[in-house]
Amino acid sequence: MGDLLSLSPAPAAAAPAAPAAAAAAPAGGFDPFGLDMLGGGGAPAAPAAPAFPTTTPYQKNGLAVEFSFEKNPATPAVTVIHGKYTNTGTFPVTNFIVQVAVPNYIQLRMEPASGNALPPQGAGHIAQKINLNNTVQGQKPLMMRLKVDYVFNGAPVSEIVEVKNFPQGI
């Protein structure tokens, strides 16, 4: 696995622009269902975190690795990636594992995947949460390598994918 961990710190290519953030909740504490029986109106909603487009860093044999992103404006160095793994092919995928390697300036914490088998035809998915802390936020870009291992139609598959083009603002 030494190759997997040898990330080059080269600058990332330009990423696509992120879409406009979702509209904020109506101001003034308006309760459209009349359920605010205490009349307090509630505290104003916190500003919404910006929305980021999903990315698909791996897609082969009907198998897709899709990432959606979450950031808290109070901790800009931390990125939470929600991995969703699906199989739209005609054969089941078994022994599915995603491993992540990052440069030493990024702290990584992966939560266990929700499973390791993907039924065919998109009949299910595996979810996994990946937490990244870029300790030099603003100086070096976020990057990672994925090692995707699985068995497809009885044959083992192992591939490494470099992920550099994260959405702008990540």
Side-chain angles (χ1 to χ4, degrees):
M1 262 261 321
D3 263 351
L4 181 62
L5 298 175
S6 62
L7 282 173
S8 165
F30 174 68
D31 181 10
F33 300 107
L35 298 176
D36 183 10
M37 297 188 191
L38 298 177
F52 299 102
T54 61
T55 62
T56 306
Y58 181 84
Q59 192 163 13
K60 187 174 183 180
N61 297 325
L63 179 67
V65 172
E66 181 179 278
F67 288 159
S68 60
F69 304 93
E70 178 185 335
K71 280 188 91 70
N72 181 341
T75 54
V78 175
T79 302
V80 179
I81 299 173
H82 298 276
K84 181 179 179 184
Y85 315 135
T86 56
N87 175 21
T88 59
T90 56
F91 297 102
V93 169
T94 59
N95 300 340
F96 180 80
I97 298 172
V98 171
Q99 295 175 312
V100 175
V102 296
N104 59 6
Y105 64 87
I106 298 174
Q107 296 171 343
L108 166 69
R109 185 172 50 90
M110 288 183 72
E111 295 187 10
S114 61
N116 68 352
L118 290 163
Q121 307 295 327
H125 73 274
I126 295 173
Q128 188 166 27
K129 196 174 188 182
I130 303 166
N131 298 282
L132 302 175
N133 181 13
N134 185 346
T135 61
V136 292
Q137 174 73 19
Q139 298 171 27
K140 290 187 179 182
L142 197 60
M143 62 173 62
M144 68 169 68
R145 280 210 178 118
L146 302 178
K147 184 172 188 240
V148 182
D149 291 315
Y150 57 96
V151 174
F152 174 76
N153 196 20
V157 177
S158 183
E159 301 208 38
I160 295 176
V161 179
E162 193 160 305
V163 185
K164 288 184 176 181
N165 295 327
F166 288 92
Q168 188 172 351
I170 292 292

